[in-house]
Amino acid sequence: MANGVLTDKRSSLIDPDIEKKIDDLMAKMTIEEKVGQMNQYTSTWDVTGPMPDEGDTKDRYQKVAEGKVGSMLNILGAQATYEAQKIAVENSRLGIPLIFGYDVIHGYKTMFPIPIADASSWDMEVVKKGCAIAAKEASAAGVHWTFAPMMDIARDARWGRIMEGAGEDPFLGARVAEARVQGFQGYSLCDLDTIAATAKHFSGYGFVIAGLDYNTTELNQNTLFNTVLPPFKAAVEAGVATVMNAFNDYNGIPVTGNEFLQRDILKKDWNFDGFIVSDWNTIGEMPIHQYAKDLKDAAFKAAKAGTDMDMESRGYEYHLGDLVRSGKIEESVVNDAVRRILRVKFLLGLFDDPYKYCSEEREKANINTEEHKVISRDAAKRSIVLLKNETSLLPLSKNIPSLAVIGSLADDKDTPLGSWRGQALENSAVSLLEGIRSAVGSSSDVRFEKGYNLASGKREFTQELKFEGIDDTSGFDAATEAASKSNVVVVALGEECFQSGEGRSQTSINLKGKQLELLKKLHSVNPNIVVVLMNGRPVAEPWLYENIPSILETWHLGSEAGNAIADVLFGDYNPSGKLPVSIPRNLGQVPIYYNHNQTGRPFGYPNDADMVFWSHYTDSDKTPQYYFGHGLSYTSFKYSDLCIESPTMNMSDTINVSVRVKNTGALAGEEVIQFYINDKYSSTIRPVKELKGFQKVHFEVGEEKLITFTIDWQTLAFYGSDQEFKAEPGEFDIMIGGNSQDLLKTELELLDS
Ligand code: BGC
């Protein structure tokens, strides 16, 4: 694995035999049947967007029989998918099978860590494996196609969907994107255990203004090319079968109607051969966006711009045939879309056996197995980030005489399942309290107190959370008493499962309710506190970070959360996660990200410290609470001898940069070694630091290793104002370290030859 890049080859989506079969089939299709392939209906079982009119949905199986539907989403289970497939195959004129899609985001029934958490593992094999298990379970339940991975770079913790991506960095985001695609799709889409993946949301959705979901975006071309697009390009290169567009605009044009993004970049420049599905009703939303006159105009604009399949707007169903017949849209536009859709269906093997994913035996045998739980626990423990361990309170001894476990989240068996949880059974996660109890058995006296309240009532993916009772402090006294009588206090704090995710933007990123107040009380009676954060977005809470000696960022870790956290708390696993996002000190710093462009007035300008004329806040430090890439271990690592093979290189050279890393502590552990560059001057301003490689390496006690990264012109290249990817001669800082801040540095000059 060079620079963290998985070396598996791209599996091309073009197979000449399949293309011939598509030709034969398309020769038989009427325009209505072609448009039918471009139409996707939801079932009403699991609703993931505003519901269509009842009148529209009632007759949808009839429409399947008429060949007017190419795909359905939110229909699940071997039996149900079998029945729907049977209608398509046996009742429609050409018997073209349906493709069933579903949001398998971080697991189907066995839940894995939410995506921002498993990106925190910086371990691409772990990421890949989690998706492979999700694919195995989903495929056993009749699902052919997941609407994942989401690869939107996100810099704004207000945006609830930050939980669904890999954080703020395009390089890490690209590696995670390709690992996820490989995990879902395996080596061949035709294998029974694999499903087609979707690179979403193309593009710029993470840049919604003010972190407000469904908002418009302000995104410049430089950021689009250098920050937003790299994960999508990596996914396409990894052979992703489909791409989903988004609710937002780019440059004033809704991305669903954006020819530049979909046709010019994705289909032409990147040679993407799969198909583009709209996001939920994004074609229908173009008139509301005031970009189209009506649904017909929207269908016209979307088809012309390269949106191949319409999720839930009916725009194509109602109007595309007429648009072709009237000559407004060329039939070749429709033909291209249908070819792409049929290609994916052929690649999945649906024409050979449309029922291959509909086996009830497989469904029984392959879902939520013990083996999957073991793999989920492993992924979860590797995703935990040790933010702070000042007094080496951690790891705890399992024989600690008494332990207070405080916080309603500690006893919550649902929140760890996270948002976007597929078919997870409610309350099926191992809670933190259960994990701790099973780790210590009878050797420690564990007392639990709820302490504070979070949301009340039933929690549902589609409904607003109710925060009634959140100011209740009636549990404080019992919690404080338990804390005062215990050797150590483990306090679970953070967010409810559905505080983040789609439609969950917030104007505050602090701990809700009385959590902080309780923490302060506990701290006043017993400072030996370990805070376990469970959250879907970075939490800004300076008092906590500054006063609590030991803090674990655990995000929402999935089905085995409690066991995985206990593995880390008691040292059965030495934490190795690193932050994929910066943690702000306060909301006012948002958006905050390590790879910001250099200003003309950075820190230290002007030299007179009393003057105000430099880029800073007068009421807050400008640095984040925790830097991107930060994460501690129970052991320590020493970096030395950064050495570059040559201080200069030509465009055609590949050179090595190496560093010695030594485990100087008392435990074996893993370290994520990170490689950054800074382009010191260039034709457009560049980030102060850019991640260009990482390696997660295991070290025995006292072990020292020479870690090497390679540099070629592509490592140093970027997209300039001409949209070309090229390296410019000049000087670069080359930096390696264990986070984005503490780095050893050397220099390199790229010569003009
Ligand atoms: C989301 C997509 C999702 C789709 C289908 C939309 O609301 O934005 O990410 O795949 O619904 O469930």
Side-chain angles (χ1 to χ4, degrees), residues 6 101 111 116 145 151 230 280 295 297 303 362 367 373 411 431 501 528 530 544 566 610-611 674 715 721:
L6 292 163
M111 282 297 117
I116 197 160
W145 171 30
M151 47 197 70
W280 185 291
L295 188 58
D297 188 31
R362 249 189 94 222
I367 296 184
K373 287 185 193 156
D411 190 30
S431 72
N528 292 328
V530 180
L544 183 167
D610 293 337
M611 290 187 79
Q674 302 163 40
T715 317
S721 50

PDB file of all heavy atoms in Angstrom, residues 6 101 111 116 145 151 230 280 295 297 303 362 367 373 411 431 501 528 530 544 566 610-611 674 715 721:
ATOM      1  N   LEU A   6      -4.946   1.891  -1.906  1.00  0.00           N
ATOM      2  CA  LEU A   6      -5.135   0.469  -2.168  1.00  0.00           C
ATOM      3  C   LEU A   6      -4.745   0.196  -3.615  1.00  0.00           C
ATOM      4  O   LEU A   6      -5.054   0.978  -4.500  1.00  0.00           O
ATOM      5  CB  LEU A   6      -6.601   0.076  -1.950  1.00  0.00           C
ATOM      6  CG  LEU A   6      -7.076   0.135  -0.506  1.00  0.00           C
ATOM      7  CD1 LEU A   6      -8.591   0.149  -0.462  1.00  0.00           C
ATOM      8  CD2 LEU A   6      -6.551  -1.040   0.280  1.00  0.00           C
ATOM      9  N   GLY A 101     -32.758  -0.713  -4.950  1.00  0.00           N
ATOM     10  CA  GLY A 101     -31.766   0.090  -4.236  1.00  0.00           C
ATOM     11  C   GLY A 101     -32.198   0.393  -2.807  1.00  0.00           C
ATOM     12  O   GLY A 101     -33.396   0.430  -2.502  1.00  0.00           O
ATOM     13  N   MET A 111     -24.883  -3.357  12.595  1.00  0.00           N
ATOM     14  CA  MET A 111     -24.431  -1.991  12.346  1.00  0.00           C
ATOM     15  C   MET A 111     -22.939  -1.850  12.613  1.00  0.00           C
ATOM     16  O   MET A 111     -22.418  -2.328  13.628  1.00  0.00           O
ATOM     17  CB  MET A 111     -25.185  -1.013  13.253  1.00  0.00           C
ATOM     18  CG  MET A 111     -26.577  -0.715  12.771  1.00  0.00           C
ATOM     19  SD  MET A 111     -26.558   0.096  11.144  1.00  0.00           S
ATOM     20  CE  MET A 111     -27.383  -1.100  10.199  1.00  0.00           C
ATOM     21  N   ILE A 116     -18.261   8.573   9.584  1.00  0.00           N
ATOM     22  CA  ILE A 116     -17.185   9.452  10.073  1.00  0.00           C
ATOM     23  C   ILE A 116     -16.343   8.721  11.127  1.00  0.00           C
ATOM     24  O   ILE A 116     -15.152   8.985  11.292  1.00  0.00           O
ATOM     25  CB  ILE A 116     -17.718  10.794  10.621  1.00  0.00           C
ATOM     26  CG1 ILE A 116     -16.562  11.773  10.711  1.00  0.00           C
ATOM     27  CG2 ILE A 116     -18.426  10.626  11.963  1.00  0.00           C
ATOM     28  CD1 ILE A 116     -16.947  13.199  10.771  1.00  0.00           C
ATOM     29  N   TRP A 145     -28.294  -2.920  -4.700  1.00  0.00           N
ATOM     30  CA  TRP A 145     -27.609  -1.647  -4.960  1.00  0.00           C
ATOM     31  C   TRP A 145     -27.737  -0.767  -3.719  1.00  0.00           C
ATOM     32  O   TRP A 145     -28.851  -0.582  -3.223  1.00  0.00           O
ATOM     33  CB  TRP A 145     -28.335  -1.049  -6.168  1.00  0.00           C
ATOM     34  CG  TRP A 145     -28.032   0.336  -6.590  1.00  0.00           C
ATOM     35  CD1 TRP A 145     -26.864   1.009  -6.454  1.00  0.00           C
ATOM     36  CD2 TRP A 145     -28.946   1.211  -7.272  1.00  0.00           C
ATOM     37  NE1 TRP A 145     -26.984   2.238  -7.014  1.00  0.00           N
ATOM     38  CE2 TRP A 145     -28.240   2.392  -7.528  1.00  0.00           C
ATOM     39  CE3 TRP A 145     -30.266   1.106  -7.709  1.00  0.00           C
ATOM     40  CZ2 TRP A 145     -28.818   3.476  -8.178  1.00  0.00           C
ATOM     41  CZ3 TRP A 145     -30.838   2.183  -8.354  1.00  0.00           C
ATOM     42  CH2 TRP A 145     -30.129   3.350  -8.602  1.00  0.00           C
ATOM     43  N   MET A 151     -19.552  10.650  -0.126  1.00  0.00           N
ATOM     44  CA  MET A 151     -18.167  11.115  -0.094  1.00  0.00           C
ATOM     45  C   MET A 151     -18.086  12.642  -0.127  1.00  0.00           C
ATOM     46  O   MET A 151     -17.132  13.201  -0.666  1.00  0.00           O
ATOM     47  CB  MET A 151     -17.376  10.470  -1.218  1.00  0.00           C
ATOM     48  CG  MET A 151     -18.032  10.505  -2.560  1.00  0.00           C
ATOM     49  SD  MET A 151     -17.254   9.304  -3.682  1.00  0.00           S
ATOM     50  CE  MET A 151     -17.802   7.749  -2.990  1.00  0.00           C
ATOM     51  N   PRO A 230     -12.065  15.058  -5.756  1.00  0.00           N
ATOM     52  CA  PRO A 230     -11.139  13.912  -5.692  1.00  0.00           C
ATOM     53  C   PRO A 230     -11.744  12.596  -5.177  1.00  0.00           C
ATOM     54  O   PRO A 230     -11.484  11.542  -5.767  1.00  0.00           O
ATOM     55  CB  PRO A 230      -9.998  14.421  -4.796  1.00  0.00           C
ATOM     56  CG  PRO A 230      -9.970  15.887  -5.068  1.00  0.00           C
ATOM     57  CD  PRO A 230     -11.409  16.288  -5.227  1.00  0.00           C
ATOM     58  N   TRP A 280     -33.467  12.033  -4.235  1.00  0.00           N
ATOM     59  CA  TRP A 280     -34.923  11.930  -4.061  1.00  0.00           C
ATOM     60  C   TRP A 280     -35.616  13.195  -4.571  1.00  0.00           C
ATOM     61  O   TRP A 280     -35.463  14.263  -3.977  1.00  0.00           O
ATOM     62  CB  TRP A 280     -35.221  11.698  -2.577  1.00  0.00           C
ATOM     63  CG  TRP A 280     -36.650  11.451  -2.237  1.00  0.00           C
ATOM     64  CD1 TRP A 280     -37.666  12.358  -2.299  1.00  0.00           C
ATOM     65  CD2 TRP A 280     -37.227  10.234  -1.763  1.00  0.00           C
ATOM     66  NE1 TRP A 280     -38.826  11.784  -1.901  1.00  0.00           N
ATOM     67  CE2 TRP A 280     -38.596  10.471  -1.554  1.00  0.00           C
ATOM     68  CE3 TRP A 280     -36.728   8.955  -1.489  1.00  0.00           C
ATOM     69  CZ2 TRP A 280     -39.465   9.492  -1.077  1.00  0.00           C
ATOM     70  CZ3 TRP A 280     -37.592   7.988  -1.013  1.00  0.00           C
ATOM     71  CH2 TRP A 280     -38.947   8.261  -0.819  1.00  0.00           C
ATOM     72  N   LEU A 295     -42.524  20.682 -14.180  1.00  0.00           N
ATOM     73  CA  LEU A 295     -41.891  19.363 -14.122  1.00  0.00           C
ATOM     74  C   LEU A 295     -41.384  18.915 -15.497  1.00  0.00           C
ATOM     75  O   LEU A 295     -40.344  18.265 -15.605  1.00  0.00           O
ATOM     76  CB  LEU A 295     -42.891  18.336 -13.553  1.00  0.00           C
ATOM     77  CG  LEU A 295     -42.324  16.950 -13.240  1.00  0.00           C
ATOM     78  CD1 LEU A 295     -41.174  17.013 -12.239  1.00  0.00           C
ATOM     79  CD2 LEU A 295     -43.420  16.013 -12.706  1.00  0.00           C
ATOM     80  N   ASP A 297     -40.253  20.851 -17.918  1.00  0.00           N
ATOM     81  CA  ASP A 297     -39.010  21.583 -18.172  1.00  0.00           C
ATOM     82  C   ASP A 297     -37.869  20.992 -17.331  1.00  0.00           C
ATOM     83  O   ASP A 297     -36.724  20.865 -17.792  1.00  0.00           O
ATOM     84  CB  ASP A 297     -39.251  23.058 -17.817  1.00  0.00           C
ATOM     85  CG  ASP A 297     -38.094  23.948 -18.230  1.00  0.00           C
ATOM     86  OD1 ASP A 297     -37.432  23.633 -19.231  1.00  0.00           O
ATOM     87  OD2 ASP A 297     -37.856  24.963 -17.526  1.00  0.00           O
ATOM     88  N   ALA A 303     -32.484  15.482 -18.044  1.00  0.00           N
ATOM     89  CA  ALA A 303     -32.057  14.468 -19.019  1.00  0.00           C
ATOM     90  C   ALA A 303     -30.920  15.020 -19.878  1.00  0.00           C
ATOM     91  O   ALA A 303     -29.923  14.345 -20.127  1.00  0.00           O
ATOM     92  CB  ALA A 303     -33.237  14.061 -19.892  1.00  0.00           C
ATOM     93  N   ARG A 362     -30.634 -17.922   2.262  1.00  0.00           N
ATOM     94  CA  ARG A 362     -29.472 -17.025   2.412  1.00  0.00           C
ATOM     95  C   ARG A 362     -29.806 -15.898   3.378  1.00  0.00           C
ATOM     96  O   ARG A 362     -29.002 -15.487   4.195  1.00  0.00           O
ATOM     97  CB  ARG A 362     -29.103 -16.428   1.056  1.00  0.00           C
ATOM     98  CG  ARG A 362     -27.781 -16.941   0.531  1.00  0.00           C
ATOM     99  CD  ARG A 362     -27.381 -16.155  -0.694  1.00  0.00           C
ATOM    100  NE  ARG A 362     -26.514 -15.046  -0.348  1.00  0.00           N
ATOM    101  CZ  ARG A 362     -26.605 -13.823  -0.854  1.00  0.00           C
ATOM    102  NH1 ARG A 362     -27.528 -13.534  -1.719  1.00  0.00           N
ATOM    103  NH2 ARG A 362     -25.768 -12.889  -0.489  1.00  0.00           N
ATOM    104  N   ILE A 367     -27.620 -12.923   7.862  1.00  0.00           N
ATOM    105  CA  ILE A 367     -27.866 -11.602   8.440  1.00  0.00           C
ATOM    106  C   ILE A 367     -27.682 -11.624   9.947  1.00  0.00           C
ATOM    107  O   ILE A 367     -28.180 -12.524  10.626  1.00  0.00           O
ATOM    108  CB  ILE A 367     -29.272 -11.110   8.034  1.00  0.00           C
ATOM    109  CG1 ILE A 367     -29.285 -10.937   6.509  1.00  0.00           C
ATOM    110  CG2 ILE A 367     -29.631  -9.806   8.726  1.00  0.00           C
ATOM    111  CD1 ILE A 367     -30.533 -10.366   5.936  1.00  0.00           C
ATOM    112  N   LYS A 373     -20.902  -9.758  14.007  1.00  0.00           N
ATOM    113  CA  LYS A 373     -20.770  -8.934  15.229  1.00  0.00           C
ATOM    114  C   LYS A 373     -19.306  -8.811  15.648  1.00  0.00           C
ATOM    115  O   LYS A 373     -18.855  -7.751  16.091  1.00  0.00           O
ATOM    116  CB  LYS A 373     -21.594  -9.555  16.362  1.00  0.00           C
ATOM    117  CG  LYS A 373     -23.081  -9.351  16.142  1.00  0.00           C
ATOM    118  CD  LYS A 373     -23.867  -9.866  17.311  1.00  0.00           C
ATOM    119  CE  LYS A 373     -25.338  -9.958  16.939  1.00  0.00           C
ATOM    120  NZ  LYS A 373     -26.085 -10.905  17.726  1.00  0.00           N
ATOM    121  N   ASP A 411     -26.468   4.081  28.972  1.00  0.00           N
ATOM    122  CA  ASP A 411     -27.440   2.990  29.107  1.00  0.00           C
ATOM    123  C   ASP A 411     -28.309   2.879  27.851  1.00  0.00           C
ATOM    124  O   ASP A 411     -29.300   2.164  27.837  1.00  0.00           O
ATOM    125  CB  ASP A 411     -28.328   3.354  30.322  1.00  0.00           C
ATOM    126  CG  ASP A 411     -29.202   2.208  30.725  1.00  0.00           C
ATOM    127  OD1 ASP A 411     -28.797   1.065  30.529  1.00  0.00           O
ATOM    128  OD2 ASP A 411     -30.320   2.473  31.226  1.00  0.00           O
ATOM    129  N   SER A 431     -24.870  -1.556  24.916  1.00  0.00           N
ATOM    130  CA  SER A 431     -24.671  -0.225  25.500  1.00  0.00           C
ATOM    131  C   SER A 431     -23.302  -0.156  26.168  1.00  0.00           C
ATOM    132  O   SER A 431     -22.681  -1.193  26.451  1.00  0.00           O
ATOM    133  CB  SER A 431     -25.766   0.076  26.528  1.00  0.00           C
ATOM    134  OG  SER A 431     -25.544  -0.713  27.680  1.00  0.00           O
ATOM    135  N   GLY A 501     -27.440  13.382  10.868  1.00  0.00           N
ATOM    136  CA  GLY A 501     -28.007  12.670   9.720  1.00  0.00           C
ATOM    137  C   GLY A 501     -28.758  13.647   8.830  1.00  0.00           C
ATOM    138  O   GLY A 501     -28.689  14.873   9.019  1.00  0.00           O
ATOM    139  N   ASN A 528     -11.300  12.213  38.789  1.00  0.00           N
ATOM    140  CA  ASN A 528     -10.849  11.058  37.978  1.00  0.00           C
ATOM    141  C   ASN A 528     -11.939  10.656  36.990  1.00  0.00           C
ATOM    142  O   ASN A 528     -12.633   9.658  37.160  1.00  0.00           O
ATOM    143  CB  ASN A 528     -10.516   9.864  38.869  1.00  0.00           C
ATOM    144  CG  ASN A 528      -9.291  10.147  39.698  1.00  0.00           C
ATOM    145  OD1 ASN A 528      -8.396  10.866  39.256  1.00  0.00           O
ATOM    146  ND2 ASN A 528      -9.263   9.615  40.913  1.00  0.00           N
ATOM    147  N   VAL A 530     -13.328   9.906  33.093  1.00  0.00           N
ATOM    148  CA  VAL A 530     -13.124   9.586  31.674  1.00  0.00           C
ATOM    149  C   VAL A 530     -14.415   9.964  30.962  1.00  0.00           C
ATOM    150  O   VAL A 530     -15.480   9.447  31.306  1.00  0.00           O
ATOM    151  CB  VAL A 530     -12.893   8.069  31.469  1.00  0.00           C
ATOM    152  CG1 VAL A 530     -12.687   7.767  29.984  1.00  0.00           C
ATOM    153  CG2 VAL A 530     -11.725   7.570  32.315  1.00  0.00           C
ATOM    154  N   LEU A 544     -14.951  21.055  28.854  1.00  0.00           N
ATOM    155  CA  LEU A 544     -14.769  19.599  28.904  1.00  0.00           C
ATOM    156  C   LEU A 544     -13.344  19.240  28.463  1.00  0.00           C
ATOM    157  O   LEU A 544     -12.612  18.535  29.166  1.00  0.00           O
ATOM    158  CB  LEU A 544     -15.798  18.963  27.973  1.00  0.00           C
ATOM    159  CG  LEU A 544     -15.927  17.446  27.841  1.00  0.00           C
ATOM    160  CD1 LEU A 544     -17.223  17.140  27.103  1.00  0.00           C
ATOM    161  CD2 LEU A 544     -14.809  16.742  27.133  1.00  0.00           C
ATOM    162  N   ALA A 566     -15.404  -0.669  25.787  1.00  0.00           N
ATOM    163  CA  ALA A 566     -14.799  -1.342  26.941  1.00  0.00           C
ATOM    164  C   ALA A 566     -13.435  -1.918  26.562  1.00  0.00           C
ATOM    165  O   ALA A 566     -12.490  -1.882  27.370  1.00  0.00           O
ATOM    166  CB  ALA A 566     -15.733  -2.440  27.450  1.00  0.00           C
ATOM    167  N   ASP A 610       1.105  43.523  19.323  1.00  0.00           N
ATOM    168  CA  ASP A 610      -0.031  44.295  19.823  1.00  0.00           C
ATOM    169  C   ASP A 610      -0.979  44.747  18.715  1.00  0.00           C
ATOM    170  O   ASP A 610      -2.084  45.180  18.980  1.00  0.00           O
ATOM    171  CB  ASP A 610       0.466  45.555  20.551  1.00  0.00           C
ATOM    172  CG  ASP A 610       1.193  45.160  21.811  1.00  0.00           C
ATOM    173  OD1 ASP A 610       0.911  44.046  22.300  1.00  0.00           O
ATOM    174  OD2 ASP A 610       2.035  45.941  22.271  1.00  0.00           O
ATOM    175  N   MET A 611      -0.515  44.669  17.509  1.00  0.00           N
ATOM    176  CA  MET A 611      -1.353  45.184  16.430  1.00  0.00           C
ATOM    177  C   MET A 611      -2.410  44.166  16.028  1.00  0.00           C
ATOM    178  O   MET A 611      -2.227  42.972  16.163  1.00  0.00           O
ATOM    179  CB  MET A 611      -0.493  45.574  15.236  1.00  0.00           C
ATOM    180  CG  MET A 611       0.348  46.800  15.532  1.00  0.00           C
ATOM    181  SD  MET A 611       1.192  47.381  14.080  1.00  0.00           S
ATOM    182  CE  MET A 611      -0.113  48.239  13.249  1.00  0.00           C
ATOM    183  N   GLN A 674       1.513  10.183   9.038  1.00  0.00           N
ATOM    184  CA  GLN A 674       0.859  11.053   8.052  1.00  0.00           C
ATOM    185  C   GLN A 674       1.886  11.910   7.307  1.00  0.00           C
ATOM    186  O   GLN A 674       2.795  12.459   7.921  1.00  0.00           O
ATOM    187  CB  GLN A 674      -0.165  11.945   8.773  1.00  0.00           C
ATOM    188  CG  GLN A 674      -1.208  11.133   9.519  1.00  0.00           C
ATOM    189  CD  GLN A 674      -1.969  11.934  10.569  1.00  0.00           C
ATOM    190  OE1 GLN A 674      -2.318  13.091  10.362  1.00  0.00           O
ATOM    191  NE2 GLN A 674      -2.235  11.312  11.719  1.00  0.00           N
ATOM    192  N   THR A 715       1.989  13.774  -6.794  1.00  0.00           N
ATOM    193  CA  THR A 715       1.901  14.115  -5.368  1.00  0.00           C
ATOM    194  C   THR A 715       1.876  15.634  -5.199  1.00  0.00           C
ATOM    195  O   THR A 715       1.272  16.157  -4.262  1.00  0.00           O
ATOM    196  CB  THR A 715       3.132  13.561  -4.619  1.00  0.00           C
ATOM    197  OG1 THR A 715       3.417  12.243  -5.075  1.00  0.00           O
ATOM    198  CG2 THR A 715       2.946  13.573  -3.124  1.00  0.00           C
ATOM    199  N   SER A 721      -6.273  27.211 -12.393  1.00  0.00           N
ATOM    200  CA  SER A 721      -7.456  27.940 -12.851  1.00  0.00           C
ATOM    201  C   SER A 721      -7.909  27.481 -14.240  1.00  0.00           C
ATOM    202  O   SER A 721      -9.022  27.749 -14.659  1.00  0.00           O
ATOM    203  CB  SER A 721      -7.195  29.440 -12.839  1.00  0.00           C
ATOM    204  OG  SER A 721      -5.995  29.685 -13.510  1.00  0.00           O
TER     205      SER A 721
END
